[in-house]
Amino acid sequence: MYNLLKGKRGIIFGALDSNSIAWKVAESAHAEGATFVLTNAPIAMRMGEINELAEKTGSEIIPADVTKLEDIENLIEKSVEILGGKIDFVLHSIGMSVNVRKKIHYTDNNYDFTHKGFDISALSFHKVMQVLYKKDAMAEWGSIVALTYMAAQRVFPDYNDMADNKAYLESIARSFGYFFGRDHKVRVNTISQSPTATTAGNGVKGFSGFINYAEKMSPLGNATAQECADYTITLFSDLTRKVTLQNLFHDGGFSNMGVSNEIMAAFEDQE
């Protein structure tokens, strides 16, 4: 590897299992010389295999419910103590929609479920940054990255209220990123990743069909979880010090496509 993160300290949210992007980021950050704390919701930790990842990367685990400020405050304080200094990078890789899980149509959303998903998937990003900002816990030229999806800008019918959550997440990155950059020289960005076969992604209706569609639309093909992790590492590194307030598409070119020859050929075959 390249020692891009040698000596850097971080917090990684959302590593559920070996299919998750956060898991791949943790492995890559470890390989690049970083030390970090792993965190997830207590219920998610019971579902996942995070202990295996912690052992593999020599990391400690601090459970945190991101809907509770006191949990986030405890996480930040303990992370600084465990890691021995201010935080250089943070990955927010959290998303959950009860409406999607229960297959409730967007036009018939249960708003209690909507609020819960919004709190976990989007508002948590503001809460995490607010605590980091108030506690002055980020090192100068640190980097905060959240994972998002293109449904924040375009219609993907079965993505449901997660599309709204991602739109708000991206807005938070820009708005809070301004203050974090101005006051602490910390950069804040979102990565808009290809549809990826993670545990969360597979929960979306019609996902397998869409991932095949995106593959045929993208000139470079879909970006894998590992490729997303590699890109994330560059944003954590000192090579991207002046990149902030950006929603960065990492999708093989899908976001700039109108139609591809492969998709047109499929429709022409039907004539």
Side-chain angles (χ1 to χ4, degrees):
M1 304 301 280
Y2 306 99
N3 284 324
L4 289 177
L5 303 185
K6 186 176 181 180
K8 293 192 180 295
R9 311 173 179 98
I11 302 174
I12 296 176
F13 289 80
L16 183 65
D17 57 37
S18 59
N19 293 318
S20 68
I21 294 172
W23 186 290
K24 305 291 187 188
V25 171
E27 290 179 326
S28 294
H30 175 66
E32 291 293 348
T35 56
F36 47 83
V37 164
L38 298 167
T39 185
N40 214 325
I43 187 170
M45 289 176 64
R46 290 196 295 272
M47 294 166 53
E49 305 154 11
I50 197 169
N51 289 326
E52 175 191 331
L53 180 63
E55 184 176 349
K56 182 177 183 179
T57 59
S59 305
E60 291 200 34
I61 305 168
I62 304 175
D65 180 344
V66 291
T67 67
K68 298 177 180 177
L69 274 174
E70 57 269 25
D71 276 25
I72 299 172
E73 289 168 350
N74 177 66
L75 168 66
I76 302 304
E77 289 169 3
K78 285 190 174 179
S79 295
V80 170
E81 180 182 337
I82 289 167
L83 297 171
K86 291 187 177 184
I87 307 302
D88 296 292
F89 65 87
V90 175
L91 176 68
H92 180 284
S93 179
I94 310 168
M96 190 278 296
S97 167
V98 184
N99 284 307
V100 169
R101 285 186 180 179
K102 293 187 176 291
K103 305 186 188 308
I104 298 172
H105 196 269
Y106 185 75
T107 60
D108 194 34
N109 271 189
N110 176 309
Y111 293 122
D112 287 337
F113 294 163
T114 302
H115 286 184
K116 185 172 184 179
F118 167 76
D119 200 2
I120 293 171
S121 305
L123 194 57
S124 64
F125 192 39
H126 192 286
K127 291 177 181 177
V128 168
M129 286 200 284
Q130 181 168 287
V131 173
L132 288 165
Y133 180 90
K134 285 186 172 182
K135 290 185 177 295
D136 191 20
M138 290 294 295
E140 193 170 84
W141 300 111
S143 175
I144 301 172
V145 173
L147 299 184
T148 186
Y149 182 55
M150 195 176 148
Q153 292 87 31
R154 301 186 188 180
V155 177
F156 295 87
D158 294 320
Y159 205 62
N160 208 309
D161 57 339
M162 276 302 297
D164 304 329
N165 295 336
K166 292 300 188 185
Y168 188 67
L169 180 86
E170 292 176 17
S171 180
I172 290 170
R174 291 187 294 271
S175 297
F176 218 125
Y178 166 72
F179 296 106
F180 239 141
R182 183 195 69 182
D183 299 336
H184 297 291
K185 293 294 185 288
V186 172
R187 54 205 196 269
V188 181
N189 297 287
T190 53
I191 295 176
S192 189
Q193 165 71 357
S194 295
T196 311
T198 62
T199 301
N202 287 326
V204 177
K205 181 183 176 183
F207 181 78
S208 61
F210 181 67
I211 199 169
N212 292 331
Y213 169 78
E215 179 73 23
K216 292 182 183 299
M217 276 287 286
S218 308
L220 296 180
N222 291 329
T224 66
Q226 182 58 57
E227 287 167 336
C228 185
D230 294 340
Y231 189 42
T232 303
I233 295 301
T234 69
L235 291 176
F236 289 163
S237 79
D238 291 333
L239 299 178
T240 52
R241 278 191 167 195
K242 293 299 174 68
V243 179
T244 195
L245 312 185
Q246 303 301 308
N247 180 44
L248 300 158
F249 289 99
H250 185 256
D251 60 6
F254 180 92
S255 51
N256 271 330
M257 291 296 296
V259 70
S260 68
N261 293 133
E262 290 82 358
I263 295 297
M264 286 299 296
F267 281 98
E268 288 167 355
D269 290 344
Q270 296 175 16
E271 293 180 357

